[in-house]
Amino acid sequence: MHVAVCMDSAPNRKQLERLLGRSADRRIEADPDVPYYVQSYGNKEALLARPFLYDLFFIDLLHDEMNSIDLIRALRAQGVIATIVLCPDEVDLSGELTEEDDVLVLRQPIRTDELEEMLDRALEATLAREPKIDVRTNSETIHVREEEFLYAEQQKNVIAVRLTDGREIICPERIENFAARVHGFEKIYNLPDNLVAHAQAIAKTGFGNVTLTDGKKFKVSRRWLKFMESEIGKRPS
């Protein structure tokens, strides 16, 4: 789960980072299949530039031309459907929230048990959504059905996602983050370090490599080569 913290109070921001870090360590130890990533922001600009990367937001802005409520509504206006948590401290703006804002409230100082409840609710909401692949660009999240996905490959500091309709979507993340999000899809495989591919995208296997349907070749381990040969053998002729 990807978590964003946006607070203009540095001490509050650092304290929440510490609490989230401890919680993430415990959660990853209990369930390594659900990784946690935390990114902090001291102002709104960077967050609004890439909001669709996140599954959960913690927000407390006061000393800015855009306060917490303004930022929350800006995120919703952009189409963000992830869980948002308002964390009031000096001034409590929660009374300005409406039902349409769809926001949880976690008052500071933050108690560990209340933080855990927010993380549980956010994770439950994330998992309850229709199972689609989140393809996250700088400006939007594109929800892709499993059968629409061909492959994703690492290209320097971004990944390129190829879909069956011919689109190539550039995403500002590492391939391991993408691989974690598609872990539960039965026919999508994390092959070498720079490739995640759907079985339908693999045309053939060779000596230490796989060839995709568009002609690209990638090196793979012997273990994965045997596995993919088995998968290809199961396809109807």
Side-chain angles (χ1 to χ4, degrees), residues 96-133:
E96 299 181 24
L97 293 170
T98 67
E99 185 175 345
E100 289 72 23
D101 293 324
D102 190 19
V103 173
L104 302 175
V105 178
L106 178 62
R107 291 179 172 81
Q108 302 185 66
I110 293 173
R111 290 171 38 186
T112 300
D113 59 335
E114 294 176 340
L115 177 62
E116 293 299 319
E117 180 185 352
M118 295 297 168
L119 290 169
D120 287 341
R121 292 177 67 172
L123 180 60
E124 182 180 359
T126 300
L127 297 176
R129 298 185 191 116
E130 182 181 357
K132 290 184 180 180
I133 301 167

mmCIF file of all heavy atoms in Angstrom, residues 96-133:
data_model
loop_
_atom_site.group_PDB
_atom_site.id
_atom_site.type_symbol
_atom_site.label_atom_id
_atom_site.label_comp_id
_atom_site.label_asym_id
_atom_site.label_seq_id
_atom_site.Cartn_x
_atom_site.Cartn_y
_atom_site.Cartn_z
ATOM 1 N N GLU A 96 -15.800 21.457 8.791
ATOM 2 C CA GLU A 96 -16.103 21.936 7.441
ATOM 3 C C GLU A 96 -16.297 20.800 6.441
ATOM 4 O O GLU A 96 -16.701 21.040 5.304
ATOM 5 C CB GLU A 96 -14.975 22.853 6.953
ATOM 6 C CG GLU A 96 -14.777 24.094 7.806
ATOM 7 C CD GLU A 96 -13.664 24.974 7.264
ATOM 8 O OE1 GLU A 96 -13.375 24.896 6.051
ATOM 9 O OE2 GLU A 96 -13.075 25.728 8.059
ATOM 10 N N LEU A 97 -16.001 19.583 6.861
ATOM 11 C CA LEU A 97 -16.134 18.447 5.949
ATOM 12 C C LEU A 97 -17.600 18.133 5.674
ATOM 13 O O LEU A 97 -18.462 18.310 6.540
ATOM 14 C CB LEU A 97 -15.455 17.210 6.542
ATOM 15 C CG LEU A 97 -13.930 17.253 6.675
ATOM 16 C CD1 LEU A 97 -13.454 16.070 7.507
ATOM 17 C CD2 LEU A 97 -13.268 17.244 5.303
ATOM 18 N N THR A 98 -17.855 17.636 4.475
ATOM 19 C CA THR A 98 -19.190 17.177 4.109
ATOM 20 C C THR A 98 -19.139 15.684 3.804
ATOM 21 O O THR A 98 -18.058 15.101 3.649
ATOM 22 C CB THR A 98 -19.712 17.922 2.873
ATOM 23 O OG1 THR A 98 -18.925 17.557 1.728
ATOM 24 C CG2 THR A 98 -19.638 19.440 3.076
ATOM 25 N N GLU A 99 -20.296 15.091 3.681
ATOM 26 C CA GLU A 99 -20.359 13.660 3.364
ATOM 27 C C GLU A 99 -19.699 13.364 2.021
ATOM 28 O O GLU A 99 -19.071 12.326 1.827
ATOM 29 C CB GLU A 99 -21.823 13.209 3.349
ATOM 30 C CG GLU A 99 -21.998 11.710 3.157
ATOM 31 C CD GLU A 99 -23.454 11.283 3.261
ATOM 32 O OE1 GLU A 99 -24.280 12.087 3.751
ATOM 33 O OE2 GLU A 99 -23.767 10.148 2.853
ATOM 34 N N GLU A 100 -19.827 14.301 1.071
ATOM 35 C CA GLU A 100 -19.256 14.108 -0.264
ATOM 36 C C GLU A 100 -17.728 14.081 -0.224
ATOM 37 O O GLU A 100 -17.091 13.498 -1.116
ATOM 38 C CB GLU A 100 -19.729 15.208 -1.213
ATOM 39 C CG GLU A 100 -21.195 15.128 -1.615
ATOM 40 C CD GLU A 100 -22.147 15.514 -0.483
ATOM 41 O OE1 GLU A 100 -21.698 16.249 0.438
ATOM 42 O OE2 GLU A 100 -23.308 15.074 -0.513
ATOM 43 N N ASP A 101 -17.118 14.719 0.777
ATOM 44 C CA ASP A 101 -15.659 14.708 0.875
ATOM 45 C C ASP A 101 -15.125 13.306 1.160
ATOM 46 O O ASP A 101 -13.993 12.981 0.784
ATOM 47 C CB ASP A 101 -15.191 15.662 1.983
ATOM 48 C CG ASP A 101 -15.477 17.115 1.659
ATOM 49 O OD1 ASP A 101 -15.367 17.492 0.477
ATOM 50 O OD2 ASP A 101 -15.815 17.870 2.596
ATOM 51 N N ASP A 102 -15.935 12.482 1.837
ATOM 52 C CA ASP A 102 -15.572 11.087 2.126
ATOM 53 C C ASP A 102 -14.205 11.008 2.818
ATOM 54 O O ASP A 102 -13.247 10.438 2.283
ATOM 55 C CB ASP A 102 -15.572 10.268 0.837
ATOM 56 C CG ASP A 102 -15.441 8.770 1.109
ATOM 57 O OD1 ASP A 102 -15.708 8.347 2.249
ATOM 58 O OD2 ASP A 102 -15.038 8.042 0.175
ATOM 59 N N VAL A 103 -14.118 11.579 4.008
ATOM 60 C CA VAL A 103 -12.845 11.712 4.709
ATOM 61 C C VAL A 103 -12.962 11.141 6.127
ATOM 62 O O VAL A 103 -13.977 11.338 6.800
ATOM 63 C CB VAL A 103 -12.417 13.199 4.783
ATOM 64 C CG1 VAL A 103 -11.186 13.375 5.671
ATOM 65 C CG2 VAL A 103 -12.146 13.738 3.384
ATOM 66 N N LEU A 104 -11.909 10.454 6.563
ATOM 67 C CA LEU A 104 -11.796 10.008 7.945
ATOM 68 C C LEU A 104 -11.034 11.064 8.746
ATOM 69 O O LEU A 104 -10.269 11.844 8.177
ATOM 70 C CB LEU A 104 -11.051 8.673 8.011
ATOM 71 C CG LEU A 104 -11.665 7.506 7.211
ATOM 72 C CD1 LEU A 104 -10.748 6.285 7.287
ATOM 73 C CD2 LEU A 104 -13.050 7.172 7.720
ATOM 74 N N VAL A 105 -11.220 11.084 10.058
ATOM 75 C CA VAL A 105 -10.569 12.081 10.917
ATOM 76 C C VAL A 105 -9.743 11.365 11.982
ATOM 77 O O VAL A 105 -10.237 10.477 12.676
ATOM 78 C CB VAL A 105 -11.594 13.016 11.582
ATOM 79 C CG1 VAL A 105 -10.883 13.999 12.511
ATOM 80 C CG2 VAL A 105 -12.404 13.769 10.526
ATOM 81 N N LEU A 106 -8.471 11.770 12.078
ATOM 82 C CA LEU A 106 -7.550 11.220 13.074
ATOM 83 C C LEU A 106 -6.853 12.401 13.755
ATOM 84 O O LEU A 106 -5.959 13.026 13.183
ATOM 85 C CB LEU A 106 -6.523 10.313 12.401
ATOM 86 C CG LEU A 106 -5.454 9.688 13.298
ATOM 87 C CD1 LEU A 106 -6.102 8.777 14.342
ATOM 88 C CD2 LEU A 106 -4.443 8.912 12.473
ATOM 89 N N ARG A 107 -7.291 12.720 14.978
ATOM 90 C CA ARG A 107 -6.768 13.913 15.651
ATOM 91 C C ARG A 107 -5.388 13.666 16.259
ATOM 92 O O ARG A 107 -5.082 12.563 16.703
ATOM 93 C CB ARG A 107 -7.760 14.392 16.719
ATOM 94 C CG ARG A 107 -9.034 14.960 16.119
ATOM 95 C CD ARG A 107 -10.045 15.419 17.154
ATOM 96 N NE ARG A 107 -11.152 16.116 16.498
ATOM 97 C CZ ARG A 107 -12.184 15.502 15.910
ATOM 98 N NH1 ARG A 107 -12.243 14.181 15.918
ATOM 99 N NH2 ARG A 107 -13.139 16.208 15.323
ATOM 100 N N GLN A 108 -4.595 14.739 16.250
ATOM 101 C CA GLN A 108 -3.269 14.694 16.860
ATOM 102 C C GLN A 108 -3.338 15.167 18.318
ATOM 103 O O GLN A 108 -4.195 16.000 18.629
ATOM 104 C CB GLN A 108 -2.308 15.566 16.055
ATOM 105 C CG GLN A 108 -2.214 15.128 14.602
ATOM 106 C CD GLN A 108 -1.168 15.910 13.846
ATOM 107 O OE1 GLN A 108 0.025 15.794 14.125
ATOM 108 N NE2 GLN A 108 -1.623 16.715 12.882
ATOM 109 N N PRO A 109 -2.472 14.643 19.206
ATOM 110 C CA PRO A 109 -1.420 13.649 18.946
ATOM 111 C C PRO A 109 -2.021 12.283 18.592
ATOM 112 O O PRO A 109 -3.046 11.878 19.154
ATOM 113 C CB PRO A 109 -0.646 13.592 20.252
ATOM 114 C CG PRO A 109 -1.633 14.036 21.298
ATOM 115 C CD PRO A 109 -2.497 15.065 20.623
ATOM 116 N N ILE A 110 -1.374 11.614 17.652
ATOM 117 C CA ILE A 110 -1.923 10.384 17.087
ATOM 118 C C ILE A 110 -1.607 9.194 17.990
ATOM 119 O O ILE A 110 -0.449 8.975 18.361
ATOM 120 C CB ILE A 110 -1.356 10.162 15.672
ATOM 121 C CG1 ILE A 110 -1.880 11.258 14.740
ATOM 122 C CG2 ILE A 110 -1.729 8.783 15.149
ATOM 123 C CD1 ILE A 110 -1.263 11.259 13.366
ATOM 124 N N ARG A 111 -2.639 8.459 18.325
ATOM 125 C CA ARG A 111 -2.479 7.235 19.101
ATOM 126 C C ARG A 111 -2.248 6.063 18.162
ATOM 127 O O ARG A 111 -2.835 5.973 17.084
ATOM 128 C CB ARG A 111 -3.712 6.977 19.955
ATOM 129 C CG ARG A 111 -3.889 7.945 21.101
ATOM 130 C CD ARG A 111 -5.238 7.783 21.777
ATOM 131 N NE ARG A 111 -5.663 6.380 21.883
ATOM 132 C CZ ARG A 111 -6.862 5.999 22.331
ATOM 133 N NH1 ARG A 111 -7.747 6.917 22.703
ATOM 134 N NH2 ARG A 111 -7.181 4.725 22.402
ATOM 135 N N THR A 112 -1.389 5.149 18.586
ATOM 136 C CA THR A 112 -1.023 4.015 17.739
ATOM 137 C C THR A 112 -2.238 3.174 17.368
ATOM 138 O O THR A 112 -2.380 2.757 16.214
ATOM 139 C CB THR A 112 0.026 3.137 18.444
ATOM 140 O OG1 THR A 112 1.188 3.919 18.721
ATOM 141 C CG2 THR A 112 0.420 1.964 17.562
ATOM 142 N N ASP A 113 -3.124 2.918 18.338
ATOM 143 C CA ASP A 113 -4.277 2.067 18.034
ATOM 144 C C ASP A 113 -5.207 2.725 17.021
ATOM 145 O O ASP A 113 -5.763 2.049 16.141
ATOM 146 C CB ASP A 113 -5.041 1.704 19.314
ATOM 147 C CG ASP A 113 -5.550 2.923 20.069
ATOM 148 O OD1 ASP A 113 -4.968 4.014 19.922
ATOM 149 O OD2 ASP A 113 -6.557 2.791 20.805
ATOM 150 N N GLU A 114 -5.354 4.046 17.097
ATOM 151 C CA GLU A 114 -6.201 4.748 16.137
ATOM 152 C C GLU A 114 -5.556 4.780 14.752
ATOM 153 O O GLU A 114 -6.255 4.664 13.736
ATOM 154 C CB GLU A 114 -6.474 6.167 16.628
ATOM 155 C CG GLU A 114 -7.307 6.215 17.897
ATOM 156 C CD GLU A 114 -7.496 7.620 18.428
ATOM 157 O OE1 GLU A 114 -6.704 8.512 18.065
ATOM 158 O OE2 GLU A 114 -8.448 7.829 19.214
ATOM 159 N N LEU A 115 -4.251 4.915 14.713
ATOM 160 C CA LEU A 115 -3.546 4.865 13.427
ATOM 161 C C LEU A 115 -3.705 3.491 12.781
ATOM 162 O O LEU A 115 -3.960 3.389 11.570
ATOM 163 C CB LEU A 115 -2.062 5.178 13.631
ATOM 164 C CG LEU A 115 -1.185 5.092 12.376
ATOM 165 C CD1 LEU A 115 -1.620 6.106 11.333
ATOM 166 C CD2 LEU A 115 0.285 5.292 12.746
ATOM 167 N N GLU A 116 -3.577 2.454 13.580
ATOM 168 C CA GLU A 116 -3.730 1.094 13.044
ATOM 169 C C GLU A 116 -5.126 0.888 12.472
ATOM 170 O O GLU A 116 -5.305 0.228 11.446
ATOM 171 C CB GLU A 116 -3.443 0.059 14.140
ATOM 172 C CG GLU A 116 -2.004 0.019 14.603
ATOM 173 C CD GLU A 116 -1.044 -0.327 13.482
ATOM 174 O OE1 GLU A 116 -1.356 -1.207 12.661
ATOM 175 O OE2 GLU A 116 0.034 0.295 13.432
ATOM 176 N N GLU A 117 -6.121 1.451 13.133
ATOM 177 C CA GLU A 117 -7.490 1.345 12.628
ATOM 178 C C GLU A 117 -7.615 2.015 11.267
ATOM 179 O O GLU A 117 -8.260 1.484 10.350
ATOM 180 C CB GLU A 117 -8.469 1.984 13.613
ATOM 181 C CG GLU A 117 -9.920 1.908 13.141
ATOM 182 C CD GLU A 117 -10.878 2.639 14.063
ATOM 183 O OE1 GLU A 117 -10.449 3.083 15.147
ATOM 184 O OE2 GLU A 117 -12.062 2.760 13.689
ATOM 185 N N MET A 118 -6.996 3.186 11.097
ATOM 186 C CA MET A 118 -7.042 3.882 9.810
ATOM 187 C C MET A 118 -6.344 3.067 8.720
ATOM 188 O O MET A 118 -6.840 2.961 7.584
ATOM 189 C CB MET A 118 -6.386 5.255 9.926
ATOM 190 C CG MET A 118 -7.115 6.206 10.854
ATOM 191 S SD MET A 118 -8.790 6.576 10.272
ATOM 192 C CE MET A 118 -9.477 7.396 11.714
ATOM 193 N N LEU A 119 -5.210 2.486 9.043
ATOM 194 C CA LEU A 119 -4.496 1.668 8.070
ATOM 195 C C LEU A 119 -5.305 0.432 7.686
ATOM 196 O O LEU A 119 -5.364 0.053 6.510
ATOM 197 C CB LEU A 119 -3.136 1.250 8.636
ATOM 198 C CG LEU A 119 -2.108 2.375 8.781
ATOM 199 C CD1 LEU A 119 -0.912 1.902 9.607
ATOM 200 C CD2 LEU A 119 -1.654 2.866 7.423
ATOM 201 N N ASP A 120 -5.957 -0.186 8.663
ATOM 202 C CA ASP A 120 -6.802 -1.351 8.383
ATOM 203 C C ASP A 120 -7.960 -0.973 7.456
ATOM 204 O O ASP A 120 -8.274 -1.702 6.499
ATOM 205 C CB ASP A 120 -7.360 -1.934 9.678
ATOM 206 C CG ASP A 120 -6.314 -2.667 10.497
ATOM 207 O OD1 ASP A 120 -5.268 -3.038 9.929
ATOM 208 O OD2 ASP A 120 -6.536 -2.860 11.711
ATOM 209 N N ARG A 121 -8.594 0.160 7.736
ATOM 210 C CA ARG A 121 -9.731 0.584 6.919
ATOM 211 C C ARG A 121 -9.290 0.917 5.493
ATOM 212 O O ARG A 121 -9.989 0.599 4.526
ATOM 213 C CB ARG A 121 -10.430 1.772 7.575
ATOM 214 C CG ARG A 121 -11.125 1.407 8.875
ATOM 215 C CD ARG A 121 -11.750 2.599 9.576
ATOM 216 N NE ARG A 121 -12.869 3.163 8.839
ATOM 217 C CZ ARG A 121 -13.664 4.104 9.312
ATOM 218 N NH1 ARG A 121 -13.455 4.594 10.534
ATOM 219 N NH2 ARG A 121 -14.672 4.571 8.602
ATOM 220 N N ALA A 122 -8.133 1.556 5.368
ATOM 221 C CA ALA A 122 -7.628 1.895 4.039
ATOM 222 C C ALA A 122 -7.268 0.644 3.258
ATOM 223 O O ALA A 122 -7.562 0.545 2.058
ATOM 224 C CB ALA A 122 -6.416 2.814 4.156
ATOM 225 N N LEU A 123 -6.631 -0.311 3.914
ATOM 226 C CA LEU A 123 -6.271 -1.554 3.246
ATOM 227 C C LEU A 123 -7.508 -2.320 2.824
ATOM 228 O O LEU A 123 -7.579 -2.855 1.703
ATOM 229 C CB LEU A 123 -5.405 -2.415 4.173
ATOM 230 C CG LEU A 123 -4.952 -3.755 3.602
ATOM 231 C CD1 LEU A 123 -4.118 -3.560 2.346
ATOM 232 C CD2 LEU A 123 -4.160 -4.541 4.650
ATOM 233 N N GLU A 124 -8.510 -2.369 3.705
ATOM 234 C CA GLU A 124 -9.763 -3.052 3.373
ATOM 235 C C GLU A 124 -10.427 -2.410 2.164
ATOM 236 O O GLU A 124 -10.915 -3.105 1.259
ATOM 237 C CB GLU A 124 -10.703 -3.018 4.579
ATOM 238 C CG GLU A 124 -12.023 -3.742 4.353
ATOM 239 C CD GLU A 124 -12.927 -3.677 5.566
ATOM 240 O OE1 GLU A 124 -12.539 -3.097 6.596
ATOM 241 O OE2 GLU A 124 -14.057 -4.220 5.490
ATOM 242 N N ALA A 125 -10.449 -1.082 2.121
ATOM 243 C CA ALA A 125 -11.060 -0.378 0.988
ATOM 244 C C ALA A 125 -10.292 -0.638 -0.295
ATOM 245 O O ALA A 125 -10.886 -0.819 -1.374
ATOM 246 C CB ALA A 125 -11.116 1.120 1.276
ATOM 247 N N THR A 126 -8.971 -0.678 -0.202
ATOM 248 C CA THR A 126 -8.150 -0.923 -1.386
ATOM 249 C C THR A 126 -8.395 -2.321 -1.936
ATOM 250 O O THR A 126 -8.555 -2.512 -3.151
ATOM 251 C CB THR A 126 -6.660 -0.751 -1.039
ATOM 252 O OG1 THR A 126 -6.434 0.587 -0.580
ATOM 253 C CG2 THR A 126 -5.783 -1.010 -2.258
ATOM 254 N N LEU A 127 -8.445 -3.305 -1.057
ATOM 255 C CA LEU A 127 -8.630 -4.688 -1.492
ATOM 256 C C LEU A 127 -10.047 -4.968 -1.964
ATOM 257 O O LEU A 127 -10.274 -5.892 -2.758
ATOM 258 C CB LEU A 127 -8.270 -5.645 -0.348
ATOM 259 C CG LEU A 127 -6.812 -5.605 0.125
ATOM 260 C CD1 LEU A 127 -6.617 -6.535 1.318
ATOM 261 C CD2 LEU A 127 -5.875 -5.984 -1.007
ATOM 262 N N ALA A 128 -11.019 -4.165 -1.485
ATOM 263 C CA ALA A 128 -12.423 -4.409 -1.826
ATOM 264 C C ALA A 128 -12.783 -3.915 -3.222
ATOM 265 O O ALA A 128 -13.818 -4.300 -3.764
ATOM 266 C CB ALA A 128 -13.330 -3.739 -0.802
ATOM 267 N N ARG A 129 -11.948 -3.069 -3.788
ATOM 268 C CA ARG A 129 -12.263 -2.574 -5.128
ATOM 269 C C ARG A 129 -12.185 -3.708 -6.141
ATOM 270 O O ARG A 129 -11.478 -4.689 -5.948
ATOM 271 C CB ARG A 129 -11.291 -1.463 -5.527
ATOM 272 C CG ARG A 129 -11.372 -0.247 -4.616
ATOM 273 C CD ARG A 129 -10.494 0.885 -5.113
ATOM 274 N NE ARG A 129 -10.391 1.907 -4.088
ATOM 275 C CZ ARG A 129 -9.278 2.256 -3.473
ATOM 276 N NH1 ARG A 129 -8.146 1.672 -3.807
ATOM 277 N NH2 ARG A 129 -9.281 3.182 -2.550
ATOM 278 N N GLU A 130 -12.912 -3.572 -7.233
ATOM 279 C CA GLU A 130 -12.889 -4.578 -8.291
ATOM 280 C C GLU A 130 -11.444 -4.837 -8.682
ATOM 281 O O GLU A 130 -10.670 -3.894 -8.913
ATOM 282 C CB GLU A 130 -13.665 -4.085 -9.505
ATOM 283 C CG GLU A 130 -13.720 -5.097 -10.632
ATOM 284 C CD GLU A 130 -14.472 -4.553 -11.834
ATOM 285 O OE1 GLU A 130 -14.978 -3.430 -11.762
ATOM 286 O OE2 GLU A 130 -14.531 -5.266 -12.840
ATOM 287 N N PRO A 131 -11.036 -6.115 -8.751
ATOM 288 C CA PRO A 131 -9.626 -6.404 -9.019
ATOM 289 C C PRO A 131 -9.200 -5.987 -10.426
ATOM 290 O O PRO A 131 -9.472 -6.672 -11.412
ATOM 291 C CB PRO A 131 -9.526 -7.921 -8.839
ATOM 292 C CG PRO A 131 -10.913 -8.433 -9.044
ATOM 293 C CD PRO A 131 -11.827 -7.346 -8.546
ATOM 294 N N LYS A 132 -8.565 -4.845 -10.499
ATOM 295 C CA LYS A 132 -7.990 -4.363 -11.749
ATOM 296 C C LYS A 132 -6.558 -3.931 -11.479
ATOM 297 O O LYS A 132 -6.168 -3.708 -10.334
ATOM 298 C CB LYS A 132 -8.808 -3.191 -12.310
ATOM 299 C CG LYS A 132 -10.178 -3.596 -12.831
ATOM 300 C CD LYS A 132 -10.895 -2.406 -13.470
ATOM 301 C CE LYS A 132 -12.258 -2.814 -13.999
ATOM 302 N NZ LYS A 132 -12.970 -1.664 -14.612
ATOM 303 N N ILE A 133 -5.807 -3.815 -12.526
ATOM 304 C CA ILE A 133 -4.418 -3.390 -12.400
ATOM 305 C C ILE A 133 -4.377 -1.872 -12.395
ATOM 306 O O ILE A 133 -4.902 -1.228 -13.301
ATOM 307 C CB ILE A 133 -3.574 -3.937 -13.571
ATOM 308 C CG1 ILE A 133 -3.647 -5.464 -13.596
ATOM 309 C CG2 ILE A 133 -2.135 -3.463 -13.475
ATOM 310 C CD1 ILE A 133 -3.129 -6.072 -14.872
#
